[in-house]
Amino acid sequence: MFFFTYLARELRRRLRQAIFIALGLAVGVGLVLTVTAASAGVRNAQDDALNGLYGVGTDVTVSGGAVPAPSGTAAPSGAVQITMTPNGAEMCSDGKCHSLKNGYTQSNVVPTTGWVSATDVAKVAALHDVAAATGGLLLTDNTITISETGGSPPSSFTVDGLDLANLKLGPISNAVLSSGTMFTSADANKNVAVVDSDYATANNLKVGKTIKIGGVPFTIIGSVTQPQGASPPNIYIPLARAQAIASAGPAGSTLKGSVNTIYVTAASAADISAVASEISKLLPSATVTTASSLASEVTGSVTTAAKLVNDLGKWLSVLVLIAAFAVAALLTMAGVARRVREFGTLKALGWRGRRIVGQVMAESLAVGVAGAALGVGLGYAGAAIIDKVAPKLSETLPAQSGGASILQGTTTANGVTKSIGAATQTVSVPLTTTIDIAAIIAAVLLALAGGLLAGAFASWRTGRLRPADALAQVG
């Protein structure tokens, strides 16, 4: 009991010194927490953007190569060509032409990349380090309408054929249902569609309405919202229906039994490189993309901020901590030096050296606790200030394989601006700092360590003095 009474009295007597030491430790801890929060915020923003490209759980994405070009110079049998003549629009096929009436619409649904057999999905899934794999068919619907003045500019939208048996893997696995319902296994051969919410808003598409894809009417059953880093297709339909309506080339043959994207999950994170290598050997003409290869292509202010926080912020935090610990140690040593005669008296009364050391260490620990509490508060305050004043960052990401629209421009939704139709997409990312419990525990331990370190330096010499030597010192 006397120990704590004496401890409280000494802290009150030296309140100003205790406050200065606690403030020094608090500044160091607060800066570490602020830098950690900013770093976590930037890292989380970048991770969310990358995860949004292909969906949750997708470690490797395989896309077909270039769309195969028709052999020879002549149009293959069955090829359809629309031309404008002085007498109006004409459609020609195999050398036979006929006039088109005003208002005639021609739709052509083609794959955005080359394709492979759906049996290759099973081969990929059977690889040793692969946990799961599913196929998809990314398409572009190009539509032209004949008017009195000729052909109108073609309109275009993107379509993704999904394997409804594996919706938890791939581009829609990260989506949130905005309205209506999601696909079920019973929809595998139905003309039903789920639309991206941004595209639905821009084109006034609602649940229950009908949209034509390749001239075939599809009923909209729901709309979904994708993460801000995603570059989603405009419309999702069952894979079997996408294969049926897609045209493999000018001859117009369908793509039944084909896919042009394979989404893969590795058995573990350590196996991703091995999986990518195995797939490249199995499908040498395909493009294999991993999360790490995507991350290496990211540019923009998010990347710059991440490097700044991780490099400059880390070293700045270390320097401030060293300075805070040094100031705490010097102030504590100065305070203990002024109490030498007091400690000499206590030793003459029977106190042992380790008890004096314990007393000084306890005082330093109490100051460290106060510094830790104040430092956590400063850390949260610093994180809140960053959230308020930090400008929005941008991130330039590689576009989803085969998923970019051929239309050019930008779209804004929910405060996030994206470029569309390019080989890359630019995402505006608001910086939201994050302080987790691990960072708080580390900060508290740092403050306690600083206080104990200061107490250890200050009490070591005093605890070894003999009573006569201590009493001879000028207090």
Side-chain angles (χ1 to χ4, degrees):
M1 187 66 181
F2 174 75
F3 176 83
F4 294 104
T5 302
Y6 186 74
L7 173 65
R9 184 179 69 86
E10 290 303 316
L11 289 175
R12 287 196 301 269
R13 285 180 58 196
R14 295 165 177 82
L15 184 60
R16 182 179 299 179
Q17 174 183 299
I19 291 175
F20 274 116
I21 296 174
L23 281 176
L25 294 173
V27 170
V29 169
L31 181 60
V32 170
L33 273 180
T34 301
V35 172
T36 302
S39 178
V42 173
R43 185 171 57 252
N44 291 339
Q46 190 173 52
D47 289 344
D48 289 343
L50 290 175
N51 288 337
L53 286 176
Y54 297 117
V56 173
T58 304
D59 297 317
V60 181
T61 303
V62 186
S63 58
V67 177
S71 58
T73 56
S77 176
V80 176
Q81 186 176 14
I82 297 177
T83 59
M84 299 302 299
T85 70
N87 297 323
E90 287 186 346
M91 176 184 289
C92 300
S93 178
D94 293 335
K96 298 179 180 179
C97 301
H98 63 274
S99 299
L100 297 177
K101 295 181 179 180
N102 182 37
Y104 174 82
T105 300
Q106 172 69 25
S107 294
N108 187 27
V109 181
V110 295
T112 54
T113 67
W115 54 91
V116 296
S117 172
T119 58
D120 290 324
V121 179
K123 294 178 182 178
V124 170
L127 293 175
H128 179 266
D129 297 314
V130 172
T134 187
L137 189 59
L138 288 163
L139 307 169
T140 300
D141 182 301
N142 301 302
T143 301
I144 185 171
T145 300
I146 304 302
S147 63
E148 294 180 356
T149 58
S152 62
S155 61
S156 175
F157 57 86
T158 53
V159 182
D160 197 351
L162 304 176
D163 182 358
L164 302 191
N166 293 283
L167 291 180
K168 292 183 179 180
L169 176 61
I172 207 169
S173 61
N174 213 18
V176 176
L177 188 67
S178 300
S179 61
T181 61
M182 185 55 75
F183 293 116
T184 65
S185 56
D187 296 324
N189 292 294
K190 295 181 180 179
N191 289 348
V192 292
V194 171
V195 297
D196 178 71
S197 58
D198 292 345
Y199 183 76
T201 301
N203 293 274
N204 194 28
L205 299 176
K206 297 181 180 179
V207 174
K209 281 193 172 184
T210 298
I211 185 172
K212 286 189 175 182
I213 304 174
V216 179
F218 281 74
T219 301
I220 299 173
I221 62 172
S223 68
V224 294
T225 301
Q226 290 279 21
Q228 63 182 18
S231 177
N234 304 131
I235 302 171
Y236 304 91
I237 62 176
L239 177 60
R241 301 305 304 139
Q243 292 170 333
I245 65 174
S247 171
S253 59
T254 64
L255 284 173
K256 288 185 178 180
S258 299
V259 297
N260 62 358
T261 309
I262 304 175
Y263 306 99
V264 183
T265 298
S268 70
D271 296 328
I272 294 177
S273 297
V275 167
S277 178
E278 291 172 1
I279 295 174
S280 296
K281 293 177 181 178
L282 179 65
L283 303 172
S285 62
T287 301
V288 180
T289 306
T290 65
S292 59
S293 63
L294 280 176
S296 65
E297 298 177 37
V298 174
T299 58
S301 57
V302 168
T303 303
T304 303
K307 291 179 179 178
L308 181 64
V309 171
N310 289 334
D311 297 338
L312 178 60
K314 177 177 65 179
W315 289 111
L316 180 61
S317 300
V318 170
L319 291 176
V320 171
L321 275 177
I322 292 174
F325 286 3
V327 169
L330 291 174
L331 289 177
T332 304
M333 290 175 69
V336 171
R338 290 193 295 269
R339 299 166 62 187
V340 169
R341 295 191 64 183
E342 173 189 337
F343 290 136
T345 302
L346 292 173
K347 293 193 94 174
L349 293 175
W351 279 39
R352 294 186 177 182
R354 62 173 177 270
R355 185 174 181 181
I356 293 176
V357 171
Q359 183 70 43
V360 176
M361 293 287 284
E363 294 174 13
S364 299
L365 182 62
V367 173
V369 170
L374 186 57
V376 170
L378 289 178
Y380 273 101
I385 292 173
I386 291 178
D387 285 339
K388 291 291 184 182
V389 304
K392 285 187 177 181
L393 305 174
S394 64
E395 201 168 40
T396 301
L397 304 165
Q400 179 177 345
S401 298
S405 168
I406 64 171
L407 298 177
Q408 301 291 328
T410 61
T411 179
T412 301
N414 300 323
V416 177
T417 302
K418 307 175 185 178
S419 65
I420 59 175
T424 59
Q425 57 171 317
T426 299
V427 182
S428 179
V429 184
L431 176 61
T432 303
T433 56
T434 303
I435 298 179
D436 57 19
I437 187 65
I440 294 176
I441 293 174
V444 171
L445 291 177
L446 282 173
L448 296 181
L452 290 175
L453 188 63
F457 276 119
S459 62
W460 176 76
R461 181 174 176 272
T462 302
R464 296 184 61 181
L465 286 175
R466 292 181 300 172
D469 295 333
L471 291 172
Q473 300 288 329
V474 178

